[in-house]
Each structure stands twice: as structure tokens, then as C-alpha cells.
Amino acid sequence: MKVIIAFSLILSNLLYSQIKVPDDYKKIPDILDTAEYLYPFIVPDKDYAYWRVLSNDMDYEKAVIYESQAPDFMTINEPVPERGFFQKCIGNNCFSYILACKNEKSVYFSSEQQLRDFIGTVDNLPEAILLAKTYGYSVDTSNRFTGAYKMDNRHFSMYLMQSKGCPAVKESFLVTINRRTGKLEVKRNGVYAKDENCTSL
């Protein structure tokens, strides 16, 4: 057993050393690893009078994750959709969705593709991270090869991660997003962590 653990540690160190992040990449701020903190930075692709991000929490006050500035007289009370984006489970408080008001009508955005459509042009880093999240990539700021980025006028390039399965496996990716179209190009950097305890990764 000790031999297996020692081999795993050596293999992990070898993988760490193989993933090189260029010096011109900056660290993604720690706070941006949580979706709830990304929504306020969304600049919708279309003009909405008002929009809010909600979870399907039964308590309406707790369900509101973020809301844009709204006229005092405007209230939107619509039924919760059956599914949303970033589905974590089945039941209460398991997914998020956007409810917007355009031309005095309510519009839902309740899938990953619809969230991408709502974001449209990628204006900033939080939008880029949210867009990548709709494809299953996330930020792990404890490593540069899972939490670094650079940007130019055409692209956001980010070192992100995916965690899959049980035993849980973490893998590093270089994700490049076209700011105008939202299209992704992805390069695998390799697995850098495995754990039998699925809840710890």
C-alpha cells in the first residue's frame, strides 16, 4: 500500500512539473471561483429593462441570487421552470435560471445554451469564466495551471479544470474563448489529481 501511495505522489509531482503556464498569464482572483459572484458582471447581449438570477429555492427571498437595477414599480412573479443551468441535484435549490423583462414581457433563460445567448459577446473575465462553466470547466485558484488567464481584443485564454467521476479525477485544460462568438478551443494538459474520497476534490 505504501508503495502505491509513494508512486502516486511521484506521478503527481511529475504531472505538476509538466504543466507549464506562461509568465504572461495572471492569477484569477479567488472570489471568481464561485458562480454567484460572477453574475453581477454580466453585460447582456440585448437590452433588458430588468433581469435577475434566481435559484429554485422554495423561499423566494433566498432564491434571488442577483438582480439588476429595476424600476420601483416593476415586479416579476413567474413560476419556477422545471430545470435550469448548473443543475446540481433534483429538488429544492438545485439549479439557477435568469428571468428578464423585455418589452414588458418576461423571458426565461434556463439552460446552459440560453445562458450563453444571454451573455453574448464576452466582455470581461467573469463572463468568460461563466461561459466556460456552461461547458463543464471551472476555476481552482490553488494552482496556476487551473486558475490563470490572459486576454486580448479577440480572446480570453484561461487555465481551468474539470473534475469527473468517482474516484474523482481532476484534469487541467487550456480554454481559449473567442470574445465575439463565444466559441471555445480546448487543449488538454493532463490529469493532476486523483482521490478515492470523491467529496474531497
Side-chain angles (χ1 to χ4, degrees), residues 8-177:
S8 296
L9 289 171
I10 292 167
L11 187 61
S12 295
N13 287 334
L14 285 172
L15 287 171
Y16 285 159
S17 64
Q18 289 174 354
I19 304 172
K20 298 292 185 185
V21 179
D23 293 338
D24 58 343
Y25 280 74
K26 300 175 184 175
K27 183 182 186 297
I28 294 174
D30 291 350
I31 197 169
L32 297 184
D33 67 355
T34 305
E36 284 74 13
Y37 298 132
L38 303 174
Y39 298 122
F41 296 95
I42 294 178
V43 181
D45 203 36
K46 295 177 181 172
D47 189 24
Y48 297 98
Y50 169 67
W51 58 277
R52 61 171 52 156
V53 184
L54 303 113
S55 73
N56 67 319
D57 197 303
M58 299 296 286
D59 183 335
Y60 191 75
E61 294 297 319
K62 293 180 181 176
V64 178
I65 298 169
Y66 172 77
E67 55 188 337
S68 67
Q69 294 297 318
D72 293 337
F73 61 86
M74 184 178 292
T75 57
I76 300 178
N77 293 312
E78 293 286 338
V80 175
E82 292 182 9
R83 293 186 65 82
F85 46 81
F86 308 146
Q87 186 97 24
K88 297 178 288 188
C89 53
I90 303 297
N92 187 46
N93 200 19
C94 286
F95 61 79
S96 301
Y97 64 99
I98 292 173
L99 186 58
C101 181
K102 185 173 179 63
N103 298 327
E104 298 183 2
K105 292 182 180 178
S106 300
V107 186
Y108 279 110
F109 297 87
S110 55
S111 70
E112 278 77 6
Q113 182 57 56
Q114 289 173 348
L115 176 57
R116 292 172 208 142
D117 294 341
F118 184 77
I119 291 170
T121 303
V122 183
D123 301 288
N124 53 53
L125 178 61
E127 282 191 345
I129 295 170
L130 262 179
L131 192 72
K133 189 171 172 59
T134 68
Y135 290 98
Y137 302 97
S138 56
V139 175
D140 176 0
T141 56
S142 62
N143 300 299
R144 272 182 60 76
F145 53 81
T146 55
Y149 79 99
K150 73 174 182 178
M151 60 174 281
D152 57 37
N153 291 333
R154 294 186 176 181
H155 299 95
F156 272 100
S157 297
M158 301 178 290
Y159 281 85
L160 302 174
M161 58 82 66
Q162 279 187 341
S163 180
K164 291 182 179 178
C166 181
V169 175
K170 279 187 173 182
E171 188 170 1
S172 168
F173 293 85
L174 174 59
V175 178
T176 301
I177 298 176

